[in-house]
Amino acid sequence: LLHAPHTAMLGASPITDARDVSLSITLPPSELHAPHVLVPYTFEPGEQGPFKLSVWSSAPFEVSPLSHANEWQHVCVDGAWDASSGGVPNAGNDYWRNPQWELAPTPHVVCLRIILELHPAPAAAEASDVAIGCLLLRGDAGSDSAGGIQLDDVLAQAGFAMVVQVSCNLTLPASTKPRRLLVCTFHPGQQANFQLHLYSDKPLELTALPIGPPCGTGFERAGEPRPESSPRAHPDSSAAVGPSAFSIDPLSTPYPDTTATYLHNEIKNLRSELQTVQEMLAENAVRGTEHLAAREHKKSTPFRKVARFLSGRQH
Protein backbone atom coordinates (compact mmCIF):
# COMPACT_ATOMS: atom_id res chain seq x y z
CA LEU A 1 0.00 0.00 0.00
CA LEU A 2 2.75 2.38 0.98
CA HIS A 3 5.30 1.74 -1.74
CA ALA A 4 8.12 3.75 -3.25
CA PRO A 5 7.71 4.46 -6.97
CA HIS A 6 10.49 3.39 -9.30
CA THR A 7 11.58 7.00 -9.68
CA ALA A 8 12.39 7.11 -5.94
CA MET A 9 14.96 4.29 -6.25
CA LEU A 10 18.46 5.74 -6.31
CA GLY A 11 20.18 2.47 -7.18
CA ALA A 12 20.04 -1.32 -6.88
CA SER A 13 22.62 -4.07 -6.81
CA PRO A 14 22.30 -7.11 -9.11
CA ILE A 15 20.12 -9.96 -7.85
CA THR A 16 22.33 -13.05 -7.70
CA ASP A 17 23.02 -16.21 -5.70
CA ALA A 18 26.70 -15.23 -5.26
CA ARG A 19 28.26 -14.83 -1.81
CA ASP A 20 28.34 -11.06 -2.15
CA VAL A 21 26.92 -8.24 -4.26
CA SER A 22 28.05 -4.64 -4.53
CA LEU A 23 26.78 -1.29 -5.75
CA SER A 24 28.68 1.90 -6.56
CA ILE A 25 26.61 5.07 -6.66
CA THR A 26 26.86 8.84 -6.29
CA LEU A 27 24.18 9.90 -3.84
CA PRO A 28 22.46 13.29 -3.99
CA PRO A 29 22.19 15.26 -0.74
CA SER A 30 19.37 14.17 1.57
CA GLU A 31 17.23 16.32 3.80
CA LEU A 32 17.55 16.10 7.57
CA HIS A 33 14.01 14.75 8.05
CA ALA A 34 14.17 12.48 5.00
CA PRO A 35 17.44 10.48 4.98
CA HIS A 36 18.30 7.91 2.34
CA VAL A 37 17.14 4.38 3.21
CA LEU A 38 19.27 1.29 2.55
CA VAL A 39 17.32 -1.98 2.25
CA PRO A 40 19.09 -5.38 2.06
CA TYR A 41 16.69 -8.08 0.93
CA THR A 42 16.33 -11.62 -0.42
CA PHE A 43 14.66 -12.40 -3.72
CA GLU A 44 12.11 -14.75 -2.17
CA PRO A 45 10.14 -13.74 0.93
CA GLY A 46 10.74 -15.67 4.15
CA GLU A 47 14.36 -16.63 3.45
CA GLN A 48 16.50 -16.50 6.61
CA GLY A 49 20.20 -16.13 7.31
CA PRO A 50 22.82 -13.74 8.67
CA PHE A 51 24.49 -11.14 6.47
CA LYS A 52 27.19 -8.49 6.68
CA LEU A 53 26.64 -5.01 5.27
CA SER A 54 29.71 -2.88 4.51
CA VAL A 55 29.54 0.72 3.29
CA TRP A 56 32.42 2.95 2.13
CA SER A 57 32.13 6.61 1.26
CA SER A 58 34.35 9.52 0.21
CA ALA A 59 32.64 11.72 2.81
CA PRO A 60 31.75 11.19 6.49
CA PHE A 61 28.42 9.47 6.96
CA GLU A 62 26.40 7.51 9.51
CA VAL A 63 24.39 4.30 9.10
CA SER A 64 21.83 3.48 11.77
CA PRO A 65 18.76 1.20 11.96
CA LEU A 66 15.41 2.88 11.42
CA SER A 67 13.76 3.60 14.74
CA HIS A 68 10.44 1.85 15.37
CA ALA A 69 9.40 4.98 17.24
CA ASN A 70 9.37 6.84 13.91
CA GLU A 71 7.38 4.25 11.99
CA TRP A 72 4.07 5.32 10.52
CA GLN A 73 0.91 4.29 12.30
CA HIS A 74 -1.57 2.15 10.34
CA VAL A 75 -5.30 1.86 10.86
CA CYS A 76 -7.27 -0.55 8.64
CA VAL A 77 -11.06 -0.81 8.49
CA ASP A 78 -13.12 -3.32 6.50
CA GLY A 79 -16.57 -2.38 5.26
CA ALA A 80 -19.14 -2.69 2.51
CA TRP A 81 -21.67 -0.70 0.55
CA ASP A 82 -25.07 -2.37 0.20
CA ALA A 83 -28.23 -1.67 -1.78
CA SER A 84 -29.25 1.07 0.67
CA SER A 85 -26.00 3.06 0.32
CA GLY A 86 -26.60 6.68 -0.53
CA GLY A 87 -23.94 7.64 -3.09
CA VAL A 88 -22.01 10.91 -3.11
CA PRO A 89 -23.25 14.08 -1.38
CA ASN A 90 -24.99 15.41 -4.49
CA ALA A 91 -28.57 16.68 -4.61
CA GLY A 92 -31.14 13.92 -4.18
CA ASN A 93 -28.68 11.47 -2.58
CA ASP A 94 -28.90 10.42 1.06
CA TYR A 95 -25.13 10.47 1.40
CA TRP A 96 -25.38 9.75 5.13
CA ARG A 97 -26.45 6.19 4.23
CA ASN A 98 -22.75 5.38 3.78
CA PRO A 99 -20.13 4.12 6.25
CA GLN A 100 -18.68 7.00 8.30
CA TRP A 101 -16.07 7.34 11.04
CA GLU A 102 -15.16 10.07 13.47
CA LEU A 103 -11.50 11.06 13.56
CA ALA A 104 -10.67 12.18 17.09
CA PRO A 105 -9.16 15.65 17.64
CA THR A 106 -5.43 15.80 16.96
CA PRO A 107 -3.44 17.99 19.38
CA HIS A 108 -0.47 18.02 16.97
CA VAL A 109 0.07 18.45 13.24
CA VAL A 110 -0.36 15.06 11.54
CA CYS A 111 0.88 13.87 8.14
CA LEU A 112 -1.81 11.56 6.79
CA ARG A 113 -2.29 9.28 3.80
CA ILE A 114 -5.79 7.95 3.14
CA ILE A 115 -6.23 4.90 0.91
CA LEU A 116 -9.59 3.43 -0.09
CA GLU A 117 -9.59 0.24 -2.14
CA LEU A 118 -11.99 -2.41 -3.35
CA HIS A 119 -11.31 -5.57 -1.39
CA PRO A 120 -11.07 -8.14 -2.77
CA ALA A 121 -9.99 -6.41 -5.95
CA PRO A 122 -11.74 -7.37 -9.19
CA ALA A 123 -9.95 -9.84 -11.45
CA ALA A 124 -7.39 -8.31 -13.80
CA ALA A 125 -9.63 -9.00 -16.80
CA GLU A 126 -12.60 -7.26 -15.16
CA ALA A 127 -12.76 -3.47 -15.12
CA SER A 128 -14.43 -1.94 -12.09
CA ASP A 129 -17.79 -0.31 -12.86
CA VAL A 130 -17.96 1.29 -9.40
CA ALA A 131 -16.54 4.79 -8.94
CA ILE A 132 -15.29 5.01 -5.36
CA GLY A 133 -14.13 7.89 -3.22
CA CYS A 134 -13.51 9.16 0.28
CA LEU A 135 -14.16 12.56 1.84
CA LEU A 136 -12.57 13.99 4.97
CA LEU A 137 -15.08 16.45 6.41
CA ARG A 138 -15.37 18.82 9.29
CA GLY A 139 -17.05 17.17 12.24
CA ASP A 140 -20.16 19.33 11.91
CA ALA A 141 -20.46 19.04 8.13
CA GLY A 142 -24.05 18.76 6.96
CA SER A 143 -25.49 19.83 10.29
CA ASP A 144 -27.30 22.89 8.93
CA SER A 145 -31.04 22.89 8.43
CA ALA A 146 -30.70 21.72 4.81
CA GLY A 147 -28.31 18.89 5.62
CA GLY A 148 -26.09 19.59 2.62
CA ILE A 149 -22.30 19.59 2.52
CA GLN A 150 -20.65 22.87 1.53
CA LEU A 151 -17.27 23.47 -0.04
CA ASP A 152 -15.67 24.61 3.20
CA ASP A 153 -16.84 21.39 4.89
CA VAL A 154 -14.48 19.29 2.73
CA LEU A 155 -10.92 19.07 4.06
CA ALA A 156 -9.66 16.44 1.58
CA GLN A 157 -10.92 14.12 -1.13
CA ALA A 158 -9.68 10.86 -2.64
CA GLY A 159 -11.34 9.87 -5.93
CA PHE A 160 -13.89 9.63 -7.40
CA ALA A 161 -12.86 7.21 -10.14
CA MET A 162 -13.69 3.76 -11.51
CA VAL A 163 -10.48 2.18 -10.24
CA VAL A 164 -9.51 -0.39 -7.63
CA GLN A 165 -7.81 2.14 -5.34
CA VAL A 166 -7.93 5.88 -4.67
CA SER A 167 -5.78 7.86 -2.23
CA CYS A 168 -4.76 11.30 -1.08
CA ASN A 169 -2.02 12.85 1.06
CA LEU A 170 -2.58 15.74 3.43
CA THR A 171 -1.26 17.50 6.50
CA LEU A 172 -3.82 17.87 9.27
CA PRO A 173 -3.37 20.95 11.44
CA ALA A 174 -3.78 20.61 15.18
CA SER A 175 -7.44 20.78 16.17
CA THR A 176 -9.64 20.51 19.26
CA LYS A 177 -12.58 19.38 17.12
CA PRO A 178 -13.15 15.97 15.53
CA ARG A 179 -13.27 15.33 11.80
CA ARG A 180 -15.43 12.91 9.87
CA LEU A 181 -14.50 10.33 7.21
CA LEU A 182 -17.13 9.42 4.63
CA VAL A 183 -16.60 6.66 2.05
CA CYS A 184 -19.07 6.18 -0.78
CA THR A 185 -19.69 5.10 -4.34
CA PHE A 186 -20.65 7.73 -6.88
CA HIS A 187 -24.10 6.26 -7.59
CA PRO A 188 -26.50 5.22 -4.81
CA GLY A 189 -27.23 1.53 -4.29
CA GLN A 190 -23.98 0.19 -5.73
CA GLN A 191 -22.65 -2.79 -3.77
CA ALA A 192 -19.00 -3.62 -3.08
CA ASN A 193 -16.64 -4.55 -0.27
CA PHE A 194 -13.81 -2.18 0.61
CA GLN A 195 -10.87 -1.55 2.91
CA LEU A 196 -9.99 1.86 4.29
CA HIS A 197 -6.36 2.48 5.31
CA LEU A 198 -5.01 5.43 7.24
CA TYR A 199 -1.24 5.91 7.49
CA SER A 200 -0.07 8.69 9.79
CA ASP A 201 3.13 9.83 11.48
CA LYS A 202 1.27 10.10 14.80
CA PRO A 203 -1.38 7.84 16.37
CA LEU A 204 -4.97 8.44 15.28
CA GLU A 205 -8.21 7.36 16.90
CA LEU A 206 -11.01 6.29 14.58
CA THR A 207 -14.56 5.54 15.79
CA ALA A 208 -17.36 4.14 13.63
CA LEU A 209 -20.45 6.37 13.48
CA PRO A 210 -24.04 5.09 13.20
CA ILE A 211 -25.52 5.48 9.74
CA GLY A 212 -27.97 8.37 9.78
CA PRO A 213 -28.45 12.07 9.00
CA PRO A 214 -26.25 14.58 10.81
CA CYS A 215 -27.71 15.97 14.01
CA GLY A 216 -29.50 19.29 13.70
CA THR A 217 -30.84 18.79 10.17
CA GLY A 218 -34.39 18.31 11.28
CA PHE A 219 -34.78 14.93 9.53
CA GLU A 220 -32.84 12.63 11.81
CA ARG A 221 -35.47 9.88 11.73
CA ALA A 222 -34.52 6.96 9.50
CA GLY A 223 -36.26 7.08 6.14
CA GLU A 224 -37.22 10.76 6.45
CA PRO A 225 -37.07 12.35 2.97
CA ARG A 226 -34.55 15.09 2.28
CA PRO A 227 -36.10 18.58 2.09
CA GLU A 228 -36.71 19.84 -1.43
CA SER A 229 -35.08 23.15 -0.49
CA SER A 230 -31.63 21.59 -0.31
CA PRO A 231 -29.14 23.93 -2.06
CA ARG A 232 -27.12 20.98 -3.43
CA ALA A 233 -27.23 20.18 -7.13
CA HIS A 234 -25.99 17.35 -9.32
CA PRO A 235 -23.58 18.41 -12.10
CA ASP A 236 -26.20 17.43 -14.70
CA SER A 237 -28.98 19.26 -12.91
CA SER A 238 -30.37 22.50 -14.29
CA ALA A 239 -31.08 23.77 -10.78
CA ALA A 240 -29.20 26.82 -9.59
CA VAL A 241 -26.09 26.12 -7.56
CA GLY A 242 -24.80 28.56 -4.96
CA PRO A 243 -21.13 29.53 -4.92
CA SER A 244 -20.52 27.47 -1.77
CA ALA A 245 -22.39 24.34 -2.91
CA PHE A 246 -20.35 21.14 -3.17
CA SER A 247 -20.90 18.61 -5.96
CA ILE A 248 -18.88 15.78 -7.50
CA ASP A 249 -18.40 14.60 -11.05
CA PRO A 250 -16.13 11.52 -11.23
CA LEU A 251 -14.87 12.21 -14.74
CA SER A 252 -14.13 15.94 -14.65
CA THR A 253 -11.15 17.87 -13.35
CA PRO A 254 -9.67 17.95 -10.77
CA TYR A 255 -10.31 14.21 -10.58
CA PRO A 256 -8.86 12.80 -13.85
CA ASP A 257 -7.87 9.37 -12.44
CA THR A 258 -10.10 7.36 -14.74
CA THR A 259 -9.53 3.70 -15.51
CA ALA A 260 -7.62 4.57 -18.69
CA THR A 261 -5.22 6.87 -16.83
CA TYR A 262 -4.76 4.30 -14.08
CA LEU A 263 -3.91 1.53 -16.57
CA HIS A 264 -1.57 3.86 -18.49
CA ASN A 265 0.38 4.61 -15.30
CA GLU A 266 0.51 0.92 -14.37
CA ILE A 267 1.89 -0.01 -17.81
CA LYS A 268 4.44 2.81 -17.56
CA ASN A 269 5.61 1.55 -14.15
CA LEU A 270 5.84 -2.05 -15.40
CA ARG A 271 7.92 -0.98 -18.39
CA SER A 272 10.27 0.93 -16.11
CA GLU A 273 10.63 -2.07 -13.80
CA LEU A 274 11.22 -4.37 -16.79
CA GLN A 275 14.00 -2.08 -18.02
CA THR A 276 15.66 -2.24 -14.59
CA VAL A 277 15.49 -6.04 -14.59
CA GLN A 278 16.93 -6.19 -18.11
CA GLU A 279 19.82 -3.92 -17.08
CA MET A 280 20.51 -6.12 -14.05
CA LEU A 281 20.46 -9.27 -16.20
CA ALA A 282 22.82 -7.69 -18.72
CA GLU A 283 25.22 -6.67 -15.96
CA ASN A 284 25.09 -10.17 -14.48
CA ALA A 285 25.76 -11.67 -17.93
CA VAL A 286 28.85 -9.47 -18.39
CA ARG A 287 30.15 -10.37 -14.94
CA GLY A 288 29.50 -14.06 -15.61
CA THR A 289 31.41 -13.95 -18.89
CA GLU A 290 34.35 -12.18 -17.24
CA HIS A 291 34.35 -14.73 -14.43
CA LEU A 292 34.38 -17.67 -16.85
CA ALA A 293 37.16 -16.11 -18.91
CA ALA A 294 39.28 -15.55 -15.80
CA ARG A 295 38.68 -19.12 -14.65
CA GLU A 296 39.64 -20.59 -18.06
CA HIS A 297 42.75 -18.44 -18.12
CA LYS A 298 43.71 -19.67 -14.67
CA LYS A 299 43.22 -23.28 -15.74
CA SER A 300 45.31 -22.88 -18.88
CA THR A 301 48.26 -21.12 -17.23
CA PRO A 302 50.07 -24.33 -16.02
CA PHE A 303 49.79 -25.90 -19.47
CA ARG A 304 51.23 -22.77 -21.08
CA LYS A 305 54.19 -22.88 -18.70
CA VAL A 306 54.83 -26.55 -19.52
CA ALA A 307 54.59 -25.83 -23.25
CA ARG A 308 57.13 -22.99 -22.99
CA PHE A 309 59.46 -25.20 -20.93
CA LEU A 310 59.36 -28.03 -23.45
CA SER A 311 59.79 -25.61 -26.33
CA GLY A 312 62.89 -24.16 -24.66
CA ARG A 313 64.46 -27.63 -24.18
CA GLN A 314 63.92 -28.50 -27.84
CA HIS A 315 65.93 -25.43 -28.80
Side-chain angles (χ1 to χ4, degrees), residues 3-262:
H3 64 279
H6 181 267
T7 53
M9 184 182 298
L10 301 176
S13 67
I15 302 175
T16 175
D17 57 357
R19 287 178 55 88
D20 59 81
V21 293
S22 62
L23 170 68
S24 297
I25 186 172
T26 301
L27 288 176
S30 63
E31 299 180 9
L32 182 63
H33 66 281
H36 298 314
V37 179
L38 186 62
V39 183
Y41 66 95
T42 59
F43 184 75
E44 295 291 345
E47 294 185 338
Q48 302 182 34
F51 66 87
K52 179 181 178 181
L53 179 65
S54 301
V55 185
W56 291 270
S57 172
S58 59
F61 69 98
E62 181 179 337
V63 177
S64 59
L66 289 177
S67 171
H68 291 286
N70 296 328
E71 287 187 352
W72 280 50
Q73 311 292 315
H74 178 214
V75 177
C76 177
V77 180
D78 291 280
W81 296 289
D82 57 27
S84 65
S85 297
V88 298
N90 285 345
N93 290 348
D94 293 331
Y95 70 88
W96 40 265
R97 296 184 184 275
N98 287 299
Q100 300 179 59
W101 294 265
E102 181 181 86
L103 190 61
T106 52
H108 307 287
V109 175
V110 176
C111 293
L112 175 64
R113 178 173 176 83
I114 302 173
I115 301 174
L116 175 66
E117 61 178 356
L118 296 177
H119 186 78
E126 300 176 2
S128 173
D129 60 350
V130 179
I132 61 174
C134 176
L135 298 173
L136 180 63
L137 309 170
R138 294 190 312 172
D140 59 352
S143 60
D144 59 7
S145 60
I149 292 179
Q150 305 302 312
L151 284 175
D152 58 358
D153 290 331
V154 181
L155 305 177
Q157 174 177 332
F160 285 73
M162 290 183 288
V163 293
V164 174
Q165 181 187 106
V166 294
S167 63
C168 67
N169 299 317
L170 65 147
T171 300
L172 284 177
S175 174
T176 58
K177 297 181 179 180
R179 283 104 168 183
R180 183 149 49 98
L181 271 170
L182 170 72
V183 298
C184 52
T185 60
F186 182 76
H187 296 290
Q190 291 186 307
Q191 303 180 50
N193 297 321
F194 66 83
Q195 275 190 343
L196 176 66
H197 301 269
L198 271 65
Y199 288 90
S200 60
D201 63 345
K202 296 180 179 65
L204 294 176
E205 183 179 343
L206 203 63
T207 305
L209 294 174
I211 293 179
C215 295
T217 58
F219 55 99
E220 287 86 3
R221 294 188 301 276
E224 194 80 14
R226 179 178 298 279
E228 294 297 330
S229 59
S230 172
R232 303 296 322 289
H234 189 277
D236 297 332
S237 172
S238 58
V241 180
S244 62
F246 176 75
S247 60
I248 299 174
D249 181 348
L251 302 181
S252 69
T253 55
Y255 321 115
D257 294 330
T258 60
T259 302
T261 304
Y262 175 81

Side-chain angles (χ1 to χ4, degrees), residues 290-305:
E290 293 175 349
H291 177 72
L292 289 174
R295 188 171 63 180
E296 291 300 323
H297 176 76
K298 186 176 181 180
K299 287 181 178 179
S300 62
T301 299
F303 297 102
R304 291 178 180 176
K305 290 182 178 179

